[in-house]
Amino acid sequence: MRLLAVLHLLSMVLVLFAGCMLVPLAFSLALRDGAHAAYLESILATAVAGVALWSASHRAGRELQVRDGFLLVALVWTVLPAFATLPLLLQLHGLSFTDAYFEAVSGLTASGATVLSGLDQLPPSLNLWRGFMIWLGGMGVIVLAVAILPLLGVGGSQLFKAETPTPMKDTKLTPRIAETAKGLWLVYFGLTVACGLAYYWAGMTWLDALMHAFTTLGLGGFSTHDASYAYWNSPRIEAVAIVFMLIAAINFATHFLAWHRQSLRVYRVDPEAKLFLGVTLISVLGVAAYLVLTGTYPTIGAALRYAAFNVVSIATTTGYANTDFNRWPIFAPLWMLFLCSFASCSGSTGSGMKMIRAQILFKQLFRELLRIIHPRVYNPVKVGGRPVENNVVFAVLAYVFVYVSCIIVFTLLLTLSGADEVTAFSAAVVSLNNTGPGLGKVGPGSTYAVLNDFQVWVCSLGMLLGRLELFTLLVVLTPAFWRK
């Protein structure tokens, strides 16, 4: 009976997703780009599937339990990409389902990795659909559903806890979970509008500004041009991107509280935000100095420009590029890969293990070293001046173990299937961190079309695991989850 209840809610999410496709349809009709038929057929197929599933399960609606929330989130993030492929498959003849599913997963997980080339010649509405998927996935389709579907307000806390990153799970910003979701989406929408206007002011066309506002706030590196931000070669546009990537990588709960209280003080007391900005700034300066010392760029000004844009892009797991950093001396891109593993804040649209877990892990290390010297000392792990309970510390240790294990397993699978070591390792890291471009054959100057079908599916699984922070998807695969 629990499965039917989950499927009942999944049916409503499908209908909601069909409604989301009206956005690119409207643009296709307005721009007359010839892709409207693909959207009409996709909307019809998705809506029919949702209604059919609703008809088969509508008698089973009831309050969700925690396990039901995890199952629904896992199903949403694996099923929705299949329907998101429809506009791509119907419009781009010759595109395989494997590649289309990868593109849709990359969009909805806000990864920004692509198998497509010739982006400049795609129908504008199709590029908009790719960016819109990132925008939806950035904050989370489930959070959107909780915000606007009253029926999902019943049991909505289970969905919200399964969907949102760890530090936000037990933090109620408002008394009602639906109001919290609405507040977060309001802030998200407002920042997106501001970003789009800033891009337009900086020199983008209104359509490019809208699409890149979606992908900047969603922190996914899809672009309307094969050359990404090198297409414009504009420091002003890059500066706008840097500012809004940094904003999107900070906890949206912090943004919400700053807006709700009309005060910037919340940013000063957010321990993650300060550390994230500090680590990113030091990394930009360090990489810029390294690029000058190695002769990659002749002046500190040029080095700072390219280091700032690409370091911020990769650290925030966005994946934009204004140059092929794959050709830089290897230390710089490796450091950027390291940053994308932990730099983004929890509750942001970024991915990776998150700064809060890195903080806890680092402090636990020093607590253990102190305990070796002073076995009886009481030295709790503290973040932001507040002690962290041991069960949270243990959960972080377990998460990091699974995270590292996944990188190892995916790297081995990719090398087993023929990828070289650099490509395999970087593809595993950026897939799990939802970052997009890696190194080797999947660098910013290439696409994931160079991988074979098996490797593409491995990367798709990595992106799904990373977006759902590993445990949300893995717990559904455990035998204990299915026991009564």
Side-chain angles (χ1 to χ4, degrees), residues 98 102 105 406-407 409-415 417 424 427-428 431-432 448 451-465:
T98 294
F102 174 90
V105 167
C406 285
I407 290 178
V409 170
F410 288 146
T411 301
L412 291 175
L413 287 174
L414 291 171
T415 53
S417 57
S431 294
L432 201 63
Y448 281 69
L451 304 181
N452 61 41
D453 284 355
F454 175 78
Q455 293 165 345
V456 168
W457 281 109
V458 169
C459 291
S460 297
L461 176 59
M463 289 187 289
L464 287 170
L465 279 171

Side-chain angles (χ1 to χ4, degrees), residues 281-342:
L281 175 61
I282 292 171
S283 297
V284 167
L285 296 176
V287 169
Y290 176 73
L291 293 176
V292 171
L293 291 174
T294 56
T296 307
Y297 294 104
T299 65
I300 189 63
L304 271 173
R305 173 190 170 186
Y306 289 102
F309 184 82
N310 292 283
V311 168
V312 170
S313 174
I314 300 303
T316 59
T317 72
T318 309
Y320 293 144
N322 62 354
T323 187
D324 187 358
F325 55 76
N326 200 24
R327 299 182 179 181
W328 289 357
I330 191 63
F331 170 79
L334 279 179
W335 180 257
M336 290 157 60
L337 284 186
F338 174 64
L339 286 177
C340 82
S341 299
F342 71 92

Side-chain angles (χ1 to χ4, degrees), residues 361-380:
L361 192 66
F362 189 74
K363 294 188 177 187
Q364 172 63 13
L365 168 64
F366 279 92
R367 181 167 77 161
E368 289 301 319
L369 291 175
L370 183 62
R371 185 175 295 173
I372 292 173
I373 302 171
H374 304 287
R376 298 181 181 276
V377 70
Y378 175 71
N379 182 34

Side-chain angles (χ1 to χ4, degrees), residues 21 25 56 61 77 79 86 112 134 174 176 186 224 235 245 318 326 336 365 377 423 433-434 440:
M21 293 184 187
L25 171 62
W77 286 97
V79 171
L86 294 178
I134 283 181
T174 62
R176 294 176 60 85
L186 181 62
T224 53
M245 284 189 289
T318 309
N326 200 24
M336 290 157 60
L365 168 64
V377 70
T423 299
N433 293 319
N434 304 117

